[in-house]
Amino acid sequence: MSTPIKICPECDNLLYPKEDKKRKILLSACRTCSYTEMAERNRVYRNEITHITERPQILRDAYADPTLPRQKGLKCPVCNHPHVAFFLINPTINFARMYACCNPSCCHNWRADGQSIT
């Protein structure tokens, strides 16, 4: 499902999504001239996964993700590094907490129950 590229009718440049916060609507706006129009859809992007062929792997570089929260007071069981990131995954029905060592030379991942993933 792809969205066609919208072109500005005044200056032939691309139209980009832009939010009108006052009216709470999505616009298509030109960055070159002042042309704007209401967007045809309220969605900018949609990613549809139709099938999964294999179980997802834990990322080896999860330690470097600055958006992941850090767990205080927990050390890596492999290298004893004091900085550990955590995130949630849903392998079956219940969410499982995963940990990632923030030591770039270790990159060890493990589950909250202590089972090693890497």
Side-chain angles (χ1 to χ4, degrees):
M1 176 182 197
S2 65
T3 305
I5 295 175
K6 300 281 292 180
I7 303 294
C8 177
E10 293 182 11
C11 66
D12 292 329
N13 285 302
L14 286 175
L15 294 179
Y16 294 91
K18 181 180 179 181
E19 177 186 15
D20 183 341
K21 292 184 180 186
K22 277 189 174 180
R23 297 188 293 170
K24 296 184 179 181
I25 60 171
L26 185 63
L27 302 171
S28 293
C30 180
R31 293 182 180 170
T32 305
C33 68
S34 60
Y35 178 81
T36 58
E37 64 182 38
M38 286 192 59
E40 295 174 1
R41 295 185 179 102
N42 289 332
R43 182 183 304 135
V44 177
Y45 178 79
R46 181 177 179 169
N47 184 16
E48 290 185 21
I49 299 174
T50 56
H51 67 282
I52 298 175
T53 57
E54 61 184 48
R55 227 180 137 164
Q57 298 294 316
I58 303 302
L59 297 175
R60 296 278 305 162
D61 58 351
Y63 71 89
D65 186 346
T67 63
L68 291 177
R70 304 300 194 233
Q71 178 73 43
K72 293 183 180 180
L74 184 64
K75 293 183 180 184
C76 174
V78 172
C79 72
N80 210 29
H81 190 69
H83 300 286
V84 173
F86 70 90
F87 51 97
L88 298 175
I89 62 168
N90 186 3
T92 56
I93 302 298
N94 299 327
F95 282 99
R97 184 176 265 209
M98 301 295 299
Y99 296 103
C101 178
C102 292
N103 179 356
S105 62
C106 177
C107 303
H108 179 66
N109 294 315
W110 69 98
R111 290 192 335 207
D113 63 6
Q115 183 177 353
S116 182
I117 304 298
T118 55

